[in-house]
Amino acid sequence: MATPENTGPSYFIEFIGDQTVPIREGQTILDASLEAGIPHYHACGGQGQCTTCRVHINNGGKFLSELSKREIWLRKSIPFGPHVRLACQTYVSGPVSLHRMIRDEADMTMYLAEDRQNDLQNTGREQELALFFLDIRNFTPFMERFLPFDVIHIVRRLFCLFRNAIDNHHGTIIETAGDGFYAVFGFETSVQQAANDAYAAAQEILAELEEFNRTYVEKHFFHRFQAGIGLHTGKVIVGNIGIGVNNNLTVMGLPVNVASRIQAATRTLNNSLVVSEQLGEHLDPKPACQRVQTQLKGLTDTYELLLCGEPFYV
């Protein structure tokens, strides 16, 4: 929430359907409503990074502050009407009447009934990270040929290999699936270091997987595994925000979806390690990678990608 000095004269805001509350000059509408005990939702903690505190202005629009830079930016992608404002970004200089636009009881349970002091627990924080997606190829044919306990044994060996490489380069595995996982780098480092760590982890995994195939899988199970890895960087929301069953750490945002689509593109691009241009800009030294432009499934923009691995073998 914005926190300029609250020392000016007081006005009154009528929250239609709630109550009329005083507001001091230099105090945001959200600050005033929360101070008065109104259950005003603010999923991002009042930082202008969501729209859950939005209000519809009925009267007194001339007494509102100009649109903030954040509101102007949001209006480029979200079709807000002219009378809709973000309460956390708006100040008043006279009497105003308005109503809260999001008033759902489930929102009240999530954002207001919990401990408001623990912002990371409830709302998360924005952070630029390196995002790492891996999928094991040739996994389904292996499952079809071998008994379930053989499959579990190999999966454990594979994920031990993967986890060691991620740990060696200061990454954190966020989520696992039967034949892949998703990790992030950069919680405690710069995004440049995170990108280089993620790239080094990918190279280690691909090398270790080849060695594992040669010395163990081919010898005992007559099979070879391959992996497709996608890397990207971007600003995401990080926190224990209550989405997982066990309230585990969650990392969400468009860059996560982009990284996942880059990993999926390893198949169509026939390359084991595909890196976004954004992540590639941080790499030092610069690897010798082929550049391609492609449309990623489900995404509007065209992305420039770097093919930094090897073609898959049949």
Side-chain angles (χ1 to χ4, degrees), residues 208-225:
E208 290 291 329
L209 183 58
E210 281 301 299
E211 182 68 8
F212 182 52
N213 280 327
R214 185 183 66 82
T215 61
Y216 193 84
V217 183
E218 288 181 336
K219 180 178 179 181
H220 298 294
F221 294 92
F222 320 105
H223 190 81
R224 286 181 64 86
F225 290 106

Side-chain angles (χ1 to χ4, degrees), residues 33-108:
S33 61
L34 293 176
E35 188 174 286
I38 292 176
H40 202 144
Y41 314 133
H42 51 294
C44 72
Q47 302 298 318
Q49 296 178 333
C50 74
T51 67
T52 59
C53 73
R54 76 187 82 145
V55 293
H56 185 277
I57 308 300
N58 284 53
N59 288 294
K62 64 181 180 181
F63 297 119
L64 301 180
S65 59
E66 296 293 326
L67 290 173
S68 69
K69 292 181 180 179
R70 193 67 183 175
E71 288 178 295
I72 293 171
W73 181 82
L74 284 170
R75 285 170 182 267
K76 293 179 180 178
S77 57
I78 302 175
F80 286 152
H83 302 295
V84 175
R85 297 294 301 269
L86 295 187
C88 71
Q89 300 289 298
T90 307
Y91 307 91
V92 307
S93 59
V96 175
S97 67
L98 50 81
H99 67 265
R100 293 180 293 121
M101 297 182 68
I102 299 180
R103 305 168 61 93
D104 188 84
E105 291 299 320
D107 290 332
M108 185 182 300

